[in-house]
Amino acid sequence: MAELTALRPLLTEQPDAPAYVSAALETGGRAKTSEEWLSEALDTLLGQRAKTAEAITATEPVVEVGPPEDPGVTFFLLQQRHRVRRNLNLPHDRNDDLADRLEAQLVRRAQQTGETDLLFFPQAEFDRLLTEQPALAETYGANWDEHRARLEKALVRQADAGGLGLHVLR
């Protein structure tokens, strides 16, 4: 538990942390603890968002509590919490409903566009990828400039087709 407790702060910082930490807790027979930790982390993130939104609507200066939260962190936290609660046979709550709605929205968007997610690698990571997996050059480009150009063309094509909210995630 000491090792997992040390990782607990990552639940609000790293998108992969909810899956790994909750799986470790469940494997150790601590599913209820997993649900509690995920719920508390989610409440923290949603509370931070609410405070930021209130400050913006009240035209008060926004004071950052920490680094800006990655939307992926909230999404994966919602999904893992929902999974753990389902495994514990707990009744649906508003956050479980939100997890369902977000997942349904992603599925619907993927079905409407027929497009797959675009994958962008920073140059150092791209170079390492091709060194380790040269066959991927056909899929992602023979060099980093070609990789970047392919992504830019795909984004322009999606924008021209009416795609909204297109952006590159870290």
Side-chain angles (χ1 to χ4, degrees):
M1 277 304 291
E3 288 86 4
L4 292 175
T5 300
L7 297 175
R8 189 175 180 183
L10 297 177
L11 292 172
T12 59
E13 300 168 9
Q14 298 292 324
D16 293 337
Y20 290 118
V21 172
S22 65
L25 286 167
E26 288 177 274
T27 300
R30 298 180 183 264
K32 183 63 179 156
T33 301
S34 176
E35 191 273 334
E36 291 169 2
W37 285 14
L38 293 170
S39 293
E40 289 172 12
L42 183 61
D43 289 344
T44 297
L45 288 181
L46 295 177
Q48 288 173 353
R49 279 187 170 196
K51 287 179 186 175
T52 301
E54 287 172 11
I56 290 170
T57 57
T59 64
E60 297 174 10
V62 178
V63 177
E64 287 290 330
V65 182
E69 179 254 327
D70 178 351
V73 172
T74 304
F75 176 76
F76 290 116
L77 194 53
L78 276 164
Q79 295 304 312
Q80 289 302 315
R81 180 185 175 276
H82 185 41
R83 180 190 59 76
V84 169
R85 289 177 54 81
R86 186 173 46 243
N87 291 344
L88 289 170
N89 294 317
L90 295 174
H92 246 233
D93 65 6
R94 63 185 173 84
N95 289 326
D96 293 328
D97 293 337
L98 178 58
D100 285 339
R101 284 197 305 273
L102 289 173
E103 188 169 356
Q105 185 179 8
L106 285 175
V107 169
R108 200 170 32 256
R109 182 183 304 163
Q111 289 171 342
Q112 289 171 348
T113 64
E115 295 277 342
T116 59
D117 288 338
L118 301 174
L119 188 56
F120 175 74
F121 295 93
Q123 187 168 5
E125 291 177 26
F126 181 80
D127 293 342
R128 188 175 71 236
L129 175 73
L130 287 189
T131 300
E132 294 172 6
Q133 301 287 328
L136 293 176
E138 186 176 321
T139 303
Y140 295 113
N143 58 51
W144 191 74
D145 288 329
E146 185 179 320
H147 170 63
R148 193 182 72 237
R150 283 183 182 194
L151 182 70
E152 289 171 357
K153 286 178 188 175
L155 288 171
V156 168
R157 188 175 57 250
Q158 288 182 16
D160 289 344
L164 301 174
L166 301 174
H167 56 282
V168 176
L169 298 177
R170 172 168 61 98

